[in-house]
């Protein structure tokens, strides 16, 4: 694996919301899983290496592992709060425990294999700014083995705009309900700030609430294709358009 010594400080945006995220993200991954699996079709039929950036609590890691049952996976998650759930999920399953390596450094400081058969980054690309995305495309162009692909998604909205508050998800566990809502404000042409509120209630009474915010870098399909072209890469839409999933391949694969 490549070794990078300079690691900038990581400001964890999930410190206050981690206890809600696994529960409230499960429904999204039920819908996302078929599209990610389809994009990875044919990867990992034999021994393969797959990198997952922004693994969160491991919901996507499980999808990748089921899709590529012989692949070794490097799951990158810099948030210690999310990584605790991820590591528990991996360690509690004998199959995952034997195949998944959990990496703590954020991209682009992550310790990654020099060559890999696939790279997956779902619901995380907006954390990277233009320079960091350029580094990601360079890593993919240099590291992707022939026949491989990278799978990413572009979350709506793909242009910077204000978003009125809406409920993302609501789940009940025991006597309590856990729900999350979100709104966004436009900063500039390329950037938004998302404001998230996570609430816990019992018998209709709110007993806890956490408010968090983070910057998000927007990217539309046209800009994606333009950026990829600079690195001899191209993207094909995969699955339902509303999920914005793309499979990125090297131009050399077209020949």
């Amino acid at each position: 694996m490549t070794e990078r010594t300079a690691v900038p400080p990581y400001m964890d945006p999930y410190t206050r919301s981690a206890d809600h995220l696994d529960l409230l993200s499960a429904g999204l991954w039920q819908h996302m899983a078929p599209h990610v699996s389809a994009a990875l079709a044919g990867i990992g039929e034999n021994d393969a290496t797959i990198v997952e950036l922004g693994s969160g609590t491991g919901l996507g890691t499980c999808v990748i592992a089921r899709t590529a049952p012989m692949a070794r996976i490097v799951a990158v998650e810099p948030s210690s709060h999310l990584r605790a759930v991820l590591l528990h999920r991996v360690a509690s399953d004998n199959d995952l425990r034997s195949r998944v390596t959990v990496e703590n450094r954020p991209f682009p400081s992550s310790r990654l294999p020099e060559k890999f058969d696939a790279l997956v980054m779902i619901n995380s690309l907006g954390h990277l700014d233009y320079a960091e995305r350029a580094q990601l495309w360079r890593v993919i162009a240099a590291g992707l083995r022939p026949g491989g692909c990278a799978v990413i998604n572009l979350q709506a909205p793909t242009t910077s705009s204000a978003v009125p508050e809406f409920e993302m998800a609501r789940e009940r566990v025991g006597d309590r309900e856990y729900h999350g809502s979100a709104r966004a404000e436009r900063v500039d042409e390329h950037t938004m700030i998302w404001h998230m509120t996570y609430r816990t209630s019992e018998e209709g009474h709110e007993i806890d609430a956490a408010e968090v915010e983070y910057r998000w870098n927007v990217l539309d399909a046209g800009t994606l294709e333009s950026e990829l072209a600079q690195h001899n890469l191209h993207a094909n839409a995969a699955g339902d358009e509303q999920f914005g999933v793309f499979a990125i391949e090297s131009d050399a694969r077209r020949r």
Side-chain angles (χ1 to χ4, degrees):
M1 291 189 178
T2 56
E3 181 73 27
R4 298 181 175 90
T5 56
V7 182
Y10 176 71
M11 303 300 293
D12 189 349
Y14 299 105
T15 300
R16 300 192 63 206
S17 59
D19 57 340
H20 282 70
L21 286 181
D22 188 72
L23 178 64
L24 298 183
S25 298
L28 171 65
W29 267 106
Q30 286 181 349
H31 296 290
M32 184 70 77
H35 307 294
V36 174
S37 295
L40 289 174
I43 302 292
E45 292 181 354
N46 298 308
D47 188 29
T49 298
I50 298 177
V51 173
E52 182 189 22
L53 297 180
S55 299
T57 60
L59 294 169
T61 312
C62 292
V63 172
I64 296 168
R66 289 195 301 269
T67 303
M70 297 181 67
R72 301 192 68 81
I73 301 167
V74 178
V76 179
E77 180 46 60
S79 167
S80 62
H81 299 274
L82 300 185
R83 194 170 64 250
V85 182
L86 167 66
L87 190 57
H88 174 74
R89 177 170 270 131
V90 168
S92 300
D93 182 289
N94 287 336
D95 176 56
L96 295 179
R97 190 181 186 122
S98 68
R99 297 196 288 132
V100 179
T101 298
V102 177
E103 160 64 10
N104 64 305
R105 291 187 182 182
F107 184 86
S109 300
S110 311
R111 291 160 290 202
L112 304 179
E114 292 185 1
K115 293 293 181 179
F116 45 86
D117 300 274
L119 182 146
V120 179
M121 190 175 195
I122 298 296
N123 297 336
S124 299
L125 187 62
H127 286 305
L128 305 185
D129 60 23
Y130 175 80
E132 292 165 333
R133 286 200 308 270
Q135 178 65 18
L136 175 62
W137 310 144
R138 285 193 290 270
V139 167
I140 292 172
L144 198 61
R145 291 192 177 112
C149 71
V151 182
I152 59 98
N153 73 318
L154 304 181
Q155 290 176 270
T158 56
T159 57
S160 184
S161 60
V163 178
E165 188 166 15
F166 66 96
E167 184 173 83
M168 298 181 293
R170 179 186 295 259
E171 297 288 346
R172 189 176 186 86
V173 179
D175 295 329
R176 296 186 174 180
E177 275 197 324
Y178 299 82
H179 33 111
S181 61
R183 65 179 176 86
E185 61 182 279
R186 184 182 189 275
V187 176
D188 55 36
E189 182 181 357
H190 306 290
T191 314
M192 302 165 60
I193 294 180
W194 279 100
H195 300 268
M196 328 294 282
T197 304
Y198 297 92
R199 296 183 172 89
T200 305
S201 60
E202 185 173 342
E203 296 181 349
H205 299 288
E206 183 176 296
I207 61 174
D208 188 38
E211 296 184 5
V212 298
E213 65 179 49
Y214 55 85
R215 294 178 69 86
W216 191 254
N217 301 283
V218 297
L219 186 68
D220 59 31
T223 305
L224 172 66
E225 191 65 44
S226 176
E227 290 185 8
L228 292 177
Q230 299 176 44
H231 302 274
N232 297 315
L233 299 169
H234 71 279
N236 295 314
D240 192 325
E241 289 185 2
Q242 70 171 316
F243 293 100
V245 178
F246 290 84
I248 298 172
E249 300 173 352
S250 169
D251 283 338
R253 188 171 176 178
R254 289 175 166 179
R255 302 187 183 107

